[in-house]
Amino acid sequence: KLIYSFMQASLKKERLKILERLKIIDTEPEKMFDDITKIAAQVCDVPIALITFVGDKKQFFKSKYGLNISETPIEHSFCAVAIASGSDTFCVSNTKTDPRFSKNPFVTGEPHIASYNAVTLKSESGTPVGTLCVINDKESELSEVQFNTLQLLANQVTKLLELRQANSLLTDYNNKEQMYIERIEEFASMAAHDLKSPLRNVKSFIELIKKRHHDLWDDKDSKYLGFIDQSV
């Protein structure tokens, strides 16, 4: 039990770190995810399908089909139990007879969850971060074809997460690049301003020396002064 608790704590820490990097919690709905939950619900013939990410104190529904709420407390989370199981798939055909869920408020009350099936969503490193799940308000079991389809859809969610993160990193890079460009332009402007003033002074003094002491040097001296003037 001690080893299991340690492993769970370690996985939770890694999961939260990954979710922070993904910047997915509390984000707005996105059509590419909503399309997947709609397909999952239709293929599995259920009223509810969710893409869920399990945070520290709550589970967040990145996409929800057939459900109005966007999050629930972690203590009521089916998905938290699913990813803690360590299995790639998680099936509960009758929640009312399962001691883990029989008293859950989402079983005893709306939306009256009677059966729950989920496929774990994993990061590139293999850490479980959430689930693609389908929920029914009556006892039911998915067929092999339905579960295989759910797995394929979960794979697409993972790919979309990777793509979304890559786009986010690219946006961050472009923003930083623009910031650096603006800083360089600002520096160049300041440097040009700071250089112009003393150079104008040098040029003015050269002209003054030429006028006041032109009879003191020969052609070579004049040539040297010309070089200085040209360089300024």
Side-chain angles (χ1 to χ4, degrees):
K1 287 184 178 180
L2 183 62
I3 294 175
Y4 177 78
S5 297
F6 175 79
M7 290 176 63
Q8 287 298 315
S10 179
L11 281 173
K12 178 182 177 181
K13 184 177 180 180
E14 181 64 19
R15 181 180 77 248
L16 295 178
K17 188 189 300 183
I18 291 169
L19 288 174
E20 183 178 357
R21 187 168 67 243
L22 289 173
K23 299 177 182 178
I24 196 78
I25 299 292
D26 294 331
T27 55
E28 293 296 319
E30 296 177 56
K31 187 177 184 300
M32 58 185 182
F33 292 108
D34 290 343
D35 287 345
I36 290 177
T37 51
K38 184 176 181 180
I39 293 170
Q42 291 176 348
V43 168
C44 297
D45 193 24
V46 296
I48 298 173
L50 306 167
I51 294 175
T52 305
F53 294 99
V54 181
D56 185 21
K57 300 184 183 300
K58 68 179 181 181
Q59 64 174 0
F60 169 70
F61 305 138
K62 175 59 182 175
S63 177
K64 54 188 187 296
Y65 179 88
L67 196 66
N68 293 325
I69 58 176
S70 296
E71 61 183 56
T72 68
I74 196 70
E75 56 268 23
H76 301 154
S77 172
F78 277 67
C79 296
V81 178
I83 64 175
S85 71
S87 175
D88 291 340
T89 58
F90 189 80
C91 310
V92 182
S93 58
N94 188 348
T95 59
K96 296 177 181 178
T97 59
D98 192 312
R100 296 170 297 182
F101 305 112
S102 59
K103 296 182 180 179
N104 189 295
F106 296 110
V107 173
T108 58
E110 291 290 341
H112 296 289
I113 299 174
S115 63
Y116 171 90
N117 292 276
V119 176
T120 302
L121 301 175
K122 294 184 177 182
S123 66
E124 291 180 271
S125 61
T127 302
V129 294
T131 68
L132 169 62
C133 64
V134 291
I135 294 170
N136 207 337
D137 55 3
K138 57 186 178 182
E139 294 179 35
S140 63
E141 292 184 3
L142 298 184
S143 68
E144 183 178 353
V145 172
Q146 287 173 323
F147 228 117
N148 288 341
T149 303
L150 198 64
Q151 180 68 69
L152 292 174
L153 290 173
N155 293 341
Q156 293 307 306
V157 174
T158 301
K159 295 296 182 184
L160 287 176
L161 285 175
E162 293 172 3
L163 178 62
R164 189 178 182 279
Q165 186 180 19
N167 287 339
S168 177
L169 290 173
L170 180 60
T171 300
D172 288 345
Y173 173 82
N174 288 337
N175 290 339
K176 287 180 180 179
E177 183 181 39
Q178 184 60 37
M179 180 182 67
Y180 293 145
I181 289 172
E182 290 173 359
R183 286 183 178 179
I184 289 171
E185 289 176 347
E186 183 181 358
F187 170 78
S189 177
M190 291 173 60
H193 177 270
D194 291 346
L195 285 172
K196 281 179 180 178
S197 181
L199 286 173
R200 278 196 296 264
N201 290 338
V202 172
K203 187 175 181 64
S204 296
F205 279 113
I206 290 174
E207 293 298 327
L208 182 61
I209 290 171
K210 281 182 179 180
K211 290 178 180 178
R212 295 187 61 180
H213 306 290
H214 63 88
D215 57 336
L216 298 180
W217 44 63
D218 55 23
D219 292 341
K220 186 176 288 186
D221 295 327
S222 297
K223 185 177 181 181
Y224 292 156
L225 282 171
F227 287 151
I228 296 174
D229 189 48
Q230 185 179 2
S231 295
V232 170

